Amino acid sequence: MDVNKLITLKLIGFNELEQSNLKSILTLGARALHHEWQLIDSAMADFFLLSVASTAQFSNNDSLKSLPKARCIFCITDNQVAADYVLKMDEKRIPGLRALVDLLNRASAEMTNTVEPVIQTTAEPVAVVAQTDSPALVEPPPVVKMPVEQTDPGTFFEPQQGLLGQLLQPQAHYQVITLNHQIDCLALYLDMEKKVYYSHNSLEQLDAYICASDEMLFIKSYDEEEFNECIVAESLKAQPIKNLLWCAGIGLSKGKVIKTHAPQSIVTLKSWPDLRLPQCMDYAKLAAFMKNNAATLELIAEHTQFPLADVHDFYNACYLMGIVGLCNEIEITKK
């Protein structure tokens, strides 16, 4: 099978929020997939992704049992399932980005050695949606599809490169990052299990890491014991990774909206960003409006008198932190 061949996936038993979660994570993980995956609604698909509830009912439901088990991906929380493809979900029914990507890559590799995909040209593109928790830290709301027409990729903010790419698609649970050709730079320690980082540098001093290209980053994977020994030896304190995501969103967006956002999406803030974060106080009025209202980004800019480019920067940072939510209707209060 060619690398760019299409593989189709059908979701079974997921509610709207769960579908939105999966579609958002799949969109963010697309660049790490070895093949192109697309979600479809037709009965004929290459693979079937079963919700936690459908997985529990599989052996007792005639309709589910009619599915080819070898092509079923079963979502679980605590219960174990005897199957080729099992995807662990957290308590919010959200899979880890790395776990989903690894599983789909394994499934596509094994499929390559058997038969060609059932559907290659008729699949509907994956809906691109706003996500409400950061990729590895995120829980998105209802799906809003992007327009079909082609758009210049340069008009979007794509968070797949550099440090931000490592935070969203970590290659290991414990990483130590330094900057190439800078012998005296202080290391940045990432614990993706606990979603914290360690550094002697302040957030402002980590700007060089946040802005660094892939080629500038030297990344070394550690096991848990080695990692913890380094942390103890240097007397470092844990800081939430979402703080790095905020700085990356504000510093790298350059006025462009994140690629997963649909222009017609109606957004709100589920919670306040930490106003102590660098530059966050500059957006306090914007945060207050978005916390108390639901609107499109253009409407938000109009009501707050913020330039749309600034609204994009703030929205991207909040989106990456996982505090953006979607609403079905525009709601503007007198506040």
Side-chain angles (χ1 to χ4, degrees):
M1 186 174 69
D2 297 334
V3 172
N4 293 324
K5 215 75 176 255
L6 182 66
I7 301 179
T8 55
L9 180 66
K10 179 178 175 64
L11 304 183
I12 297 178
F14 293 90
N15 61 35
E16 287 188 3
L17 177 58
E18 291 169 337
Q19 289 182 40
S20 177
N21 293 341
L22 287 165
K23 291 176 181 179
S24 298
I25 294 173
L26 186 58
T27 298
L28 282 168
R31 299 188 70 163
L33 293 172
H34 298 160
H35 300 271
E36 183 179 357
W37 287 74
Q38 289 190 344
L39 302 180
I40 64 170
D41 292 326
S42 88
M44 297 294 291
D46 294 316
F47 287 92
F48 302 87
L49 183 61
L50 279 69
S51 68
V52 172
S54 294
T55 295
Q57 299 167 6
F58 184 82
S59 59
N60 300 317
N61 186 299
D62 291 337
S63 176
L64 294 175
K65 285 194 296 183
S66 67
L67 297 172
K69 189 174 181 181
R71 292 296 178 87
C72 288
I73 301 172
F74 297 94
C75 294
I76 64 169
T77 50
D78 297 323
N79 299 325
Q80 298 300 312
V81 175
D84 293 334
Y85 306 114
V86 177
L87 181 62
K88 185 67 180 292
M89 312 286 275
D90 64 17
E91 66 278 0
K92 295 181 179 179
R93 301 291 198 268
I94 301 173
L97 177 61
R98 176 71 182 275
L100 180 61
V101 167
D102 287 350
L103 188 147
L104 293 184
N105 281 339
R106 178 166 68 89
S108 64
E110 293 174 358
M111 181 180 180
T112 304
N113 298 323
T114 54
V115 296
E116 289 295 308
V118 177
I119 298 177
Q120 297 182 5
T121 59
T122 59
E124 178 185 349
V126 176
V128 181
V129 298
Q131 196 170 344
T132 55
D133 269 341
S134 74
L137 326 161
V138 195
E139 54 172 32
V143 172
V144 180
K145 295 186 180 180
M146 286 288 286
V148 176
E149 63 266 17
Q150 296 294 320
T151 308
D152 178 5
T155 62
F156 292 111
F157 168 51
E158 299 190 62
Q160 286 92 1
Q161 307 300 318
L163 178 63
L164 185 51
Q166 288 296 317
L167 296 176
L168 301 182
Q169 299 181 38
Q171 302 303 307
H173 292 314
Y174 305 99
Q175 302 176 51
V176 180
I177 303 178
T178 53
L179 295 177
N180 286 325
H181 312 302
Q182 295 192 28
I183 301 174
D184 59 345
C185 73
L186 299 174
L188 172 63
Y189 297 83
L190 300 181
D191 183 340
M192 303 309 298
E193 282 285 301
K194 296 179 181 177
K195 298 181 176 58
V196 297
Y197 75 91
Y198 302 84
S199 176
H200 287 291
N201 293 312
S202 66
L203 272 174
E204 292 86 347
Q205 293 169 328
L206 287 173
D207 187 62
Y209 281 90
I210 292 170
C211 297
S213 64
D214 288 328
E215 294 74 21
M216 295 174 63
L217 297 177
F218 179 77
I219 304 171
K220 184 176 180 180
S221 299
Y222 278 44
D223 62 31
E224 184 175 8
E225 183 177 354
E226 291 175 320
F227 185 87
N228 288 332
E229 286 176 357
C230 293
I231 299 306
V232 172
E234 298 193 37
S235 301
L236 297 174
K237 294 183 179 180
Q239 303 290 336
I241 277 179
K242 65 180 182 179
N243 291 356
L244 293 176
L245 294 171
W246 161 268
C247 291
I250 292 296
L252 302 179
S253 297
K254 307 300 181 186
K256 300 176 182 179
V257 71
I258 198 165
K259 194 170 184 179
T260 49
H261 178 74
Q264 66 270 37
S265 295
I266 300 170
V267 298
T268 187
L269 287 188
K270 299 191 299 178
S271 60
W272 284 83
D274 187 344
L275 295 176
R276 295 169 296 180
L277 290 170
Q279 301 183 59
C280 197
M281 277 301 297
D282 296 341
Y283 298 92
K285 179 181 175 182
L286 188 54
F289 182 86
M290 291 183 66
K291 183 68 175 65
N292 292 295
N293 301 279
T296 64
L297 295 186
E298 287 191 355
L299 273 177
I300 291 169
E302 180 183 332
H303 280 273
T304 60
Q305 299 299 303
F306 271 78
L308 184 58
D310 290 350
V311 174
H312 286 168
D313 292 348
F314 179 75
Y315 168 81
N316 294 345
C318 292
Y319 173 87
L320 292 170
M321 293 173 70
I323 59 175
V324 169
L326 283 181
C327 299
N328 293 323
E329 296 180 357
I330 293 175
E331 295 182 11
I332 305 294
T333 67
K334 291 185 177 179
K335 286 184 181 180

